[in-house]
Amino acid sequence: MNDYLKDSGAVMNELGSRRDGLTPEEAERRLEERGPNRLKDAEKKSMLVRLKEQLLNPMILILLAAALISGLLGEAADASVILFVVVLNSILGIVQESKSEKAIEALQSMTASRARVRRGGEVLSVPSAELVTGDIVLLEAGDAVPADLRILESASLKIEEAALTGESVPVDKSPDALDAPEGGVPLGDRKNMAYLGGSAVYGRGTGVVTATGMETEMGKIADTLAKAKDEETPLQQRLNQLSRLLSLGVLGICAFIFAFSLFTSHNYSTQSVLNSFLLAVSLAVAAVPEGLAAVVTIVLSIGVSKMSARSAIIRKLTAVETLGCTQVICTDKTGTLTQNRMTVVDSFGDLPLLVRAFALCSDSRLNSQTGEIVGEPTENALVAFARKEGLDKNTLDSEFPRLGEAPFDSMRKMMTTLHGLPDGSVVQYTKGAPDEILKRCDSVLSDGAVVPMSEELRRKIIGSNREMANRALRVLAAAQKKLPALPDDLSPEKLESGLTFLGLAGMIDPVREEAAEAVRECRRAGIRPVMITGDHRDTAAAIAAQIGIAEPGDPVMTGSELDRLTDEELKEAVLRCGAYARVQPEHKVRIVRALKDLGLVTAMTGDGVNDAPALKTADIGVGMGITGTDVTKNAADMVLADDNFATIVYAVREGRRIYDNILKTVQFLLSSNLSEVISIFAATLLGFSLFRPIHILWINLITDSLPAVALGTERAEHGIMNRPPRGKSESLFANGLGADVLYQGATVAVLTLASYWAGSGSGPDTGTTMAFVTLSMCEIFHSFNLRSRRGSVFLLHGQNLILLGTMLLSLLLTFAMVELPFLSLAFSLISLTPRQYLISIGIALLILPVVEAVKAVQRRMSR
């Protein structure tokens, strides 16, 4: 632990290692004792466990009980239909279950397959899984870091650690021990350590393995992912609450009807008891919306398909709805708000010579075929800067061939190259930290002429450097020196003196153009964006201010400051702070948990391995599809195929639309089921039988479900993104939905009973058939009512053609049930005359003016 605070010799002694490496025998012994350098597999749910989870849903248990009772009573058709619904819903649930265990598999795939180690004085290539603590690992540009290492030697070694720390710039590595500031050293600042998941992009070095497998920093992330439990989304919570409510209601109604039927019949024979049971089952079937679970799943699936066409790939169905109630979006910076590509955005000095110097004094390569620039990100930015100014790196290298160099060194903070000129002389270019370059300059190129370095010019250069640095730009300086020939001594001490200052270049990982507008739209929708990054405080502050997440001068909290806060203090802090810097994976998880503990529905976006635990902890995790690691994608609920923050805003809008439509579906199905309960209950009290269970099952699964699915395709209502997100604990019955269900269900029940009485004069079978037609048609017409919960359906723009199609199909199926002999016989219905059809449909149409009138009153009251 804290090997970065110790001298490298002390670390070697503690690990029992030597510069020439462990002996092969010692390495084999340690491998047997501690196991391979591999991350553990996550435990996977068996198919049996997944099926069990699906069947333990309260609504499913009621359906199973209804199927059992129907079977015992000889109602085989009823039992078969109910079991079919249960099986269908279980299959849908299992197929759509999140595949989060792949996150650990993706972590394993990131491990380097082989590593170069020094054992017994010899350099060997061994499988990375066979590395042990104490092994001496050799790294050079292009190598993946195979385990956690304490750096022993560094020859300009730079390691890309963005996936772990979120920092977009490769880190210079040094073997020197670090000082221990209060709160410890953040992972991104441990310059003498290299971690599994990083990769060398420049130079070379050696390191001793300090941790392998699950003991690595990557292993800690894997352990966090494995322990993180999937939580129910708000929609799942509400539907489960609805299931429990319906369960209690169904049990109460069934018990009452059973007792009431026995009591009023004064007959306690076996047949009478069975008839009472059958009546109670009818009520159970009427009360439970059998198609609700399947309809919600289908509606969500339709939304998923639509979103995938807009680059928002949903891995977990219920995440669609969760997006709609998101109150906070915690977003990573690198690659999410920014382009993850260093770019020169400002310069100072003689531009033509400055650009040439930067392009030649770099090791990045330009692929002339593809135009791709390959190399260290900072140098890539300089080559791209030259190309933008009309200078091609390959052409420059040809015209001014490199004759010698003094490579970059983290102590000097400079690099020098020497190039031949056409006249046989040599020009030297030096680039590096502005303060170090200035120390070695005695002249300045100003307006095309070389003039002596004066205090005024020095202050001007320093002022320009400070102005760029204050904007969180990374600033590099360039200088030159003319030489008659290539010198014999190419040592940095000899070359890097008496230079002529050329100028400065300021670069940054720029903000995505569309991100700022996306942030503004989030705020209009009542969503608070929060930036969490592993980058430096100044960079975080600048990006947050530029993109509109925070105001200039607003505080930015660092990971070390977070460590000093208790959980209660953190809850207060997260309400004020909009940007966090130098954070580690555990900090991101703490921030997300604090927001969730405050009752805020929280989304977390990110692309690096360091983001995965927080994505798993958040209500909804959003991974990046292009720059994101496999770990992040598999831990996420949603993946952005275009890595575009603006796509999140589209997804939020779509999530709100889908939830609105689910509410319409729930209202439609519950009011339909309530009308059936009231109708059968009233008929029982009045002493006659209205419907058999098979009649109710048909209406619930066919007549109701088809229009319910079509309601899920309704377009977004006006102003959907100008209202605040709903609360996490908001009930399904909030905003008047409960009252709407009651009056609409009662209205349909009254119309159904009226149709029965209109037809009962011709016999009870005619009355039942007319009531069946009226109930079916009433619910079909009612689905048209619910295209908008408050707006008049006659004033909506456009038509829902899918809804019109399902209404027509339901109408035809209802007629088929009555008029086709084999169906009418199976369902105990009889053929109706045209007059009886007109009466039945005419009564059903009354649901339209009734609901329109109530909505008009509701709109007036809301104003």
Side-chain angles (χ1 to χ4, degrees), residues 198-261:
S199 60
V201 296
Y202 191 87
R204 55 185 173 80
T206 61
V208 60
V209 176
T210 59
T212 61
M214 296 300 289
E215 299 300 319
T216 62
E217 293 296 323
M218 183 78 80
K220 294 174 185 175
I221 295 175
D223 188 53
T224 303
L225 284 174
K227 291 178 180 177
K229 295 181 179 178
D230 290 329
E231 297 181 5
E232 289 183 339
T233 67
L235 178 61
Q236 287 173 317
Q237 293 170 2
R238 294 183 184 107
L239 289 178
N240 286 340
Q241 289 169 359
L242 176 61
S243 296
R244 287 189 287 270
L245 180 64
L246 287 174
S247 301
L248 294 174
V250 167
L251 291 174
I253 291 172
C254 290
F256 174 79
I257 287 295
F258 177 65
F260 180 82
S261 178

Side-chain angles (χ1 to χ4, degrees), residues 307-314 512 622-628 633 638-644 647-648:
M307 293 170 78
S308 65
R310 289 284 298 271
S311 300
I313 300 169
I314 301 297
R512 289 177 173 271
V622 183
M624 301 294 121
I626 299 175
T627 59
K633 296 173 191 174
M638 179 177 83
V639 177
L640 304 182
D642 59 359
D643 282 18
N644 193 335
T647 304
I648 300 175

Side-chain angles (χ1 to χ4, degrees), residues 45 105 114 172 282 649 714 718:
K45 292 180 183 176
E105 295 172 10
R114 298 190 73 83
D172 296 316
S282 299
V649 180
E714 193 67 41
H718 180 70

Side-chain angles (χ1 to χ4, degrees), residues 192 270 540 844-845:
N192 56 12
T270 302
L845 278 170

Side-chain angles (χ1 to χ4, degrees), residues 741-754:
V741 167
L742 289 174
Y743 93 80
Q744 290 166 8
T747 301
V748 173
V750 169
L751 296 176
T752 300
L753 291 171

Side-chain angles (χ1 to χ4, degrees), residues 156-311:
S156 305
L157 180 64
K158 294 186 179 183
I159 293 184
E160 171 69 64
E161 297 179 334
L164 278 165
T165 67
E167 187 168 356
S168 54
V169 179
V171 180
D172 296 316
K173 294 300 179 179
S174 164
D176 300 331
L178 303 177
D179 294 328
E182 184 180 355
V185 180
L187 188 137
D189 290 332
R190 298 174 190 171
K191 302 294 180 68
N192 56 12
M193 297 293 295
Y195 294 102
L196 176 67
S199 60
V201 296
Y202 191 87
R204 55 185 173 80
T206 61
V208 60
V209 176
T210 59
T212 61
M214 296 300 289
E215 299 300 319
T216 62
E217 293 296 323
M218 183 78 80
K220 294 174 185 175
I221 295 175
D223 188 53
T224 303
L225 284 174
K227 291 178 180 177
K229 295 181 179 178
D230 290 329
E231 297 181 5
E232 289 183 339
T233 67
L235 178 61
Q236 287 173 317
Q237 293 170 2
R238 294 183 184 107
L239 289 178
N240 286 340
Q241 289 169 359
L242 176 61
S243 296
R244 287 189 287 270
L245 180 64
L246 287 174
S247 301
L248 294 174
V250 167
L251 291 174
I253 291 172
C254 290
F256 174 79
I257 287 295
F258 177 65
F260 180 82
S261 178
L262 283 179
F263 176 76
T264 54
S265 68
H266 303 292
N267 182 356
Y268 302 101
S269 65
T270 302
Q271 186 60 45
S272 178
V273 171
L274 288 177
N275 288 338
S276 298
F277 257 120
L278 184 59
L279 183 60
V281 169
S282 299
L283 262 296
V285 170
V288 177
E290 289 87 357
L292 179 59
V295 167
V296 169
T297 301
I298 293 169
V299 169
L300 289 171
S301 298
I302 293 171
V304 165
S305 299
K306 185 176 179 181
M307 293 170 78
S308 65
R310 289 284 298 271
S311 300

